[in-house]
Amino acid sequence: DSGVTQTPKHLITATGQRVTLRCSPRSGDLSVYWYQQSLDQGLQFLIQYYNGEERAKGNILERFSAQQFPDLHSELNLSSLELGDSALYFCASSVGDGSRAYEQYFGPGTRLTVT
Amino acid sequence: SQQGEEDPQALSIQEGENATMNCSYKTSINNLQWYRQNSGRGLVHLILIRSNEREKHSGRLRVTLDTSKKSSSLLITASRAADTASYFCATDDWGTGNQFYFGTGTSLTVIP
């Protein structure tokens, strides 16, 4: 158990819908990272937050947005869903702000299926 | 893109044998990390090696880094069935250090 929790575990929804994925980082970790893992794209970095502020942006679509709240939990919002958004979405946390590398602790993931 | 590539894509060995997988990347890095992922589950951090280090050990794991060749290798000695998983290397961006780029992964099967 990494200490990172993600909800829900599974999500099945229709195209065009909007969903919110939630992540609670490990106690004491200030950074949260979001990743998308699909069979054809591998593990793609989406976005990083540190102590409530966006720190780095990766291959995140404009239809997707995220935020980190004062209690450090984070939410990833996916809207206007398409079939290709079906994937495993992982949240990871680390103690650092990203300026120096620390290991990341991954949550169990949310499996999103868009039908 | 900085994304690394692991080689081989898949590896099947007998229990007790050593497993070696390689990772190549494209641009300068601050550090390189190896992670393991059991099927459909979250990644687990194995080891971190900094750009000024050449070799690092952790239990049955040995990692090497050659920054001149932009490559790293992960050696698992005396493999066990429980080592069956996918293994990913992750590199950061030398400029920002914030983004992590994961490779495509090596799928390791250890046959009991």
Side-chain angles (χ1 to χ4, degrees):
Chain A
D1 183 1
S2 66
V4 178
T5 60
Q6 287 188 251
T7 56
K9 223 173 170 181
H10 300 276
L11 202 48
I12 301 174
T13 189
T15 54
Q17 294 297 307
R18 173 191 167 93
V19 296
T20 297
L21 312 183
R22 184 189 166 103
C23 166
S24 291
R26 220 170 49 120
S27 177
D29 285 356
L30 298 178
S31 270
V32 168
Y33 300 79
W34 285 99
Y35 294 90
Q36 179 194 60
Q37 186 177 38
S38 59
L39 281 174
D40 55 342
Q41 292 286 327
L43 195 65
Q44 298 284 320
F45 167 73
L46 296 178
I47 198 164
Q48 178 211 0
Y49 278 83
Y50 174 75
N51 204 20
E53 291 188 6
E54 182 185 304
R55 269 301 168 106
K57 221 166 183 175
N59 300 322
I60 187 166
L61 300 172
E62 282 192 18
R63 301 183 285 108
F64 296 0
S65 65
Q67 53 183 327
Q68 186 180 28
F69 295 87
D71 67 352
L72 300 177
H73 91 271
S74 177
E75 291 181 356
L76 179 66
N77 300 296
L78 315 176
S79 61
S80 303
L81 284 168
E82 302 174 0
L83 294 176
D85 297 327
S86 295
L88 261 172
Y89 290 83
F90 287 106
C91 163
S93 73
S94 75
V95 65
D97 63 355
S99 58
R100 185 172 166 250
Y102 291 92
E103 63 185 270
Q104 294 185 19
Y105 293 86
F106 280 76
T110 292
R111 183 173 293 280
L112 173 67
T113 303
V114 182
T115 61
Chain B
S1 160
Q2 169 68 300
Q3 188 172 25
E5 283 188 18
E6 282 90 343
D7 174 65
Q9 281 189 323
L11 180 61
S12 184
I13 58 174
Q14 293 289 138
E15 204 166 30
E17 294 181 339
N18 295 341
T20 299
M21 50 206 89
N22 304 295
C23 166
S24 59
Y25 55 92
K26 294 177 184 172
T27 63
S28 297
I29 61 171
N30 294 310
N31 68 83
L32 184 144
Q33 304 183 44
W34 284 91
Y35 287 81
R36 183 188 75 225
Q37 183 181 33
N38 290 86
S39 181
R41 305 189 67 173
L43 281 73
V44 175
H45 181 266
L46 295 176
I47 199 163
L48 181 154
I49 186 166
R50 303 200 183 278
S51 59
N52 61 354
E53 297 175 310
R54 292 295 166 259
E55 189 170 312
K56 209 159 181 183
H57 296 256
S58 176
R60 295 183 295 114
L61 306 180
R62 174 181 167 246
V63 167
T64 61
L65 179 64
D66 187 335
T67 52
S68 66
K69 293 181 180 176
K70 293 187 172 57
S71 68
S72 173
S73 69
L74 170 67
L75 168 68
I76 304 173
T77 59
S79 64
R80 304 167 183 167
D83 295 327
T84 294
S86 290
Y87 292 81
F88 295 86
C89 66
T91 54
D92 67 348
D93 183 287
W94 183 84
T96 66
N98 289 87
Q99 289 203 38
F100 281 82
Y101 301 90
F102 282 80
T104 48
T106 291
S107 176
L108 173 67
T109 302
V110 181
I111 303 165

